[in-house]
Amino acid sequence: MNLRQLSDLLGLSPTTVSRALGGYPEVSEETRRRVRAAADAHGYRPNRRAASLATGRAMAVGHVIATSHSHEMVNPVFSDFVAGAGEVYAARGYDMVMSVVADGQEVAAYRNMAETGSVDGIIVHGPRRGDVRIDVLRDLGLPFVVHGRAPLEHSDYSFVDIENARAFRRATDLLLDLGHRRIALINGRAEMDFARRRRSGWAEALAARGFPVTTDMEVNAEMSEQAGHAAAVALLARNDAPTAFLVSSIIMAIGVRRAIHEAGLAMPGDVSVVIHDDMLGYLGNGGDRPVFTATRSSVRAAGRRCAELLIERIADPALAPAQEVWDCELVTGGSTAPPP
């Protein structure tokens, strides 16, 4: 079915149908729902070139990744986020433009996208300390949504994030309640904002119970299995080795578990582990009984929501910033017990 046939079926003009599918604010929500339902029922998929001509848009959303972070392209967390966002793009008739650039060239890539009109908006990944991308995108006038939050000096922008500090404080409290006192934190890179917030939750929980917060019990690294393994090996070799690990991802936690087994120890009998679980499609945390005790929030759902918010802002740039912070569920798995 083409646009004209769908329009005739609905008794609407092709322009109205195209704008309804594109999320334009001047089309009522009732009409948008009616058009989308009919498009789904009849298998209609917008012709992106025609939609671009009709709307004056590129019908594309940009994702820019620097080469120093290009490992994220094959990271299951990033992949699940993009899969969630892609579901929304496909439903709304948008393409995804993925650009991998040299370190320090992200801003130049944004400027090029704005000047050429190759995208209608941007998803910003991995906000970090000293991040200038939000100010640049605001100056360029490109609609954008941030996955995560930038440092506190930024406030008037749209984002979707999780309560990282609260989640890791709850996780640390759980370990303290079990009797653990030497709780190591294996975290993402220190410049990343989510890592800063997670460290804050860990440190606040320890300080609230009167326990010292020592930097020799924390490691910042790339969130890979190898990095998790190396960090745990080093920490377990100490005379005052931790009895528990708080780990920023299930990917790193697999490496931590490997290090525990290599040391001749058992999880959770000798060492407990609590992780953050992004509910990855191809790397799950067990079934009814999770492998790891975890703070949990779906990164795929975050991808869908970021895409929805961005397309709304593409349709109506005057919309006020949308700022969503999701709480994390704390689930008990087979990786935590009182210390030996």
Side-chain angles (χ1 to χ4, degrees), residues 48 52 57-66 73 78 81-83 85-90 93-101 106 108-114 116-125 137 142-143 307 310-311 314:
R48 287 175 171 81
S52 179
R57 296 181 187 156
M59 301 307 295
V61 172
H63 297 251
V64 177
I65 308 295
M73 300 287 287
F78 179 81
F81 178 91
V82 168
E87 293 172 13
V88 176
Y89 300 153
Y94 280 79
D95 284 324
M96 185 188 313
V97 176
M98 194 75 67
S99 181
V100 180
V101 299
E106 287 172 282
Y110 291 147
R111 294 189 189 282
N112 181 65
M113 287 176 168
T116 62
S118 59
V119 301
D120 300 310
I122 297 285
I123 297 286
V124 178
H125 298 275
L137 287 167
L142 263 179
L310 179 58
I311 290 173
I314 291 170

Side-chain angles (χ1 to χ4, degrees), residues 25-300:
E26 60 265 31
V27 180
S28 71
E29 183 58 33
E30 180 182 351
T31 299
R32 278 200 292 268
R33 284 198 298 266
R34 181 178 164 222
V35 170
R36 287 174 187 158
D40 291 341
H42 294 277
Y44 172 76
R45 293 293 177 268
N47 180 306
R48 287 175 171 81
R49 182 176 295 276
S52 179
L53 291 172
T55 63
R57 296 181 187 156
M59 301 307 295
V61 172
H63 297 251
V64 177
I65 308 295
T67 51
S68 63
H69 306 294
S70 61
H71 61 278
E72 297 293 347
M73 300 287 287
V74 294
N75 185 316
V77 176
F78 179 81
S79 299
D80 258 39
F81 178 91
V82 168
E87 293 172 13
V88 176
Y89 300 153
R92 304 290 182 87
Y94 280 79
D95 284 324
M96 185 188 313
V97 176
M98 194 75 67
S99 181
V100 180
V101 299
D103 292 347
Q105 294 301 308
E106 287 172 282
V107 168
Y110 291 147
R111 294 189 189 282
N112 181 65
M113 287 176 168
E115 289 168 2
T116 62
S118 59
V119 301
D120 300 310
I122 297 285
I123 297 286
V124 178
H125 298 275
R128 50 193 179 264
R129 185 173 58 242
D131 207 327
V132 300
R133 292 175 294 171
I134 290 172
D135 287 334
V136 168
L137 287 167
R138 186 187 290 113
D139 291 343
L140 289 171
L142 263 179
F144 67 94
V145 172
V146 180
H147 179 214
R149 277 176 284 179
L152 298 177
E153 62 266 22
H154 295 289
S155 59
D156 57 340
Y157 63 96
S158 296
F159 64 78
V160 176
D161 197 9
I162 60 174
E163 281 284 11
N164 284 293
R166 183 186 300 168
F168 271 51
R169 178 163 185 162
R170 289 178 67 197
T172 307
D173 280 334
L174 181 150
L175 290 168
L176 290 168
D177 289 344
L178 287 170
H180 294 277
R181 299 297 177 261
R182 296 191 305 279
I183 303 170
L185 174 67
I186 301 182
N187 206 355
R189 297 191 308 272
E191 72 271 18
M192 306 305 290
D193 190 69
F194 77 85
R196 178 181 69 84
R197 294 178 191 273
R198 291 178 185 183
R199 185 197 185 277
S200 174
W202 167 75
E204 287 171 4
L206 290 172
R209 305 281 186 106
F211 299 114
V213 179
T214 57
T215 56
D216 59 353
M217 275 287 178
E218 61 177 300
V219 176
N220 294 98
E222 177 184 332
M223 296 215 296
S224 67
E225 191 274 348
Q226 297 92 330
H229 176 263
V233 166
L235 287 163
L236 288 170
R238 296 165 50 113
N239 290 331
D240 60 344
T243 62
F245 289 101
L246 184 55
V247 187
S248 262
S249 82
I250 193 171
I251 302 167
M252 298 180 95
I254 293 170
V256 171
R257 182 173 60 176
R258 178 160 66 96
I260 291 170
H261 290 168
E262 289 173 353
L265 302 171
M267 181 188 81
D270 298 306
V271 183
S272 288
V273 179
V274 180
I275 72 165
H276 179 69
D277 177 17
D278 289 290
M279 303 174 68
L280 303 177
Y282 286 90
L283 189 59
N285 185 22
D288 294 336
R289 173 65 169 169
V291 175
F292 294 102
T293 295
T295 62
R296 186 165 66 182
S297 181
S298 169
V299 71
R300 184 173 296 226

